[in-house]
Amino acid sequence: MIFNEAVNFFPHIITEGSIIERLKREFHYPLDNALSNALMIYDEAGKVLLEKIYREYLNIAELSDLPIMLLTPTWRTNKERTKNSNVGMKTINTDAFLFVDNIRRSYGSFSEKIYIGGLTGCK
């Protein structure tokens, strides 16, 4: 089911909470100055922490039997900011989607109610 159909079919759809704020305040995780949490998908400890947070939201959605929209950890991945990183913007965006999609696919039949949005910032 595509997202537009889901909005018409389900009376409610939830989203994740503010992952970046949780990383800063709850976990005191050192975020990258340029790319914030985007590079966490290339770090084992970062991946474990991001997955833990995503799964907390997914478990709430599954328990409530409500669809959920997850957003990729790419809020800061624009051309200007990724220029100085060791990873290209297209690669980060693709890798971030695949990271979230891998988590989504682990939810069996509930994965049909999990949507992934590509998060972009103000630039």
Side-chain angles (χ1 to χ4, degrees), residues 85-97:
S85 75
N86 292 328
V87 183
M89 188 169 77
K90 182 177 180 182
T91 302
I92 291 174
N93 288 327
T94 299
D95 292 345
F97 169 81

Side-chain angles (χ1 to χ4, degrees), residues 29 40 42-50:
Y29 190 89
M40 290 176 71
Y42 300 113
D43 172 73
E44 199 55 43
K47 286 194 299 190
V48 168
L49 182 54
L50 275 178

Side-chain angles (χ1 to χ4, degrees), residues 34-35 76-89 92:
L35 298 175
R76 291 252 174 124
T77 58
N78 60 52
K79 186 176 180 179
E80 180 183 319
R81 290 181 185 275
T82 58
K83 181 173 58 174
N84 295 323
S85 75
N86 292 328
V87 183
M89 188 169 77
I92 291 174

Side-chain angles (χ1 to χ4, degrees), residues 7 23 26 32 38 52-53 55 61 63 67 79 82 96 99 114 116:
V7 170
L23 289 168
E26 184 178 339
D32 185 78
K52 174 189 180 335
I53 293 171
R55 287 190 184 280
L63 186 65
K79 186 176 180 179
T82 58
F99 172 77
I114 302 170
I116 301 172

Side-chain angles (χ1 to χ4, degrees), residues 19-31:
I19 290 179
I20 293 172
E21 286 304 313
R22 288 191 65 194
L23 289 168
K24 289 191 303 192
R25 296 169 193 255
E26 184 178 339
F27 297 99
H28 307 287
Y29 190 89
L31 299 171

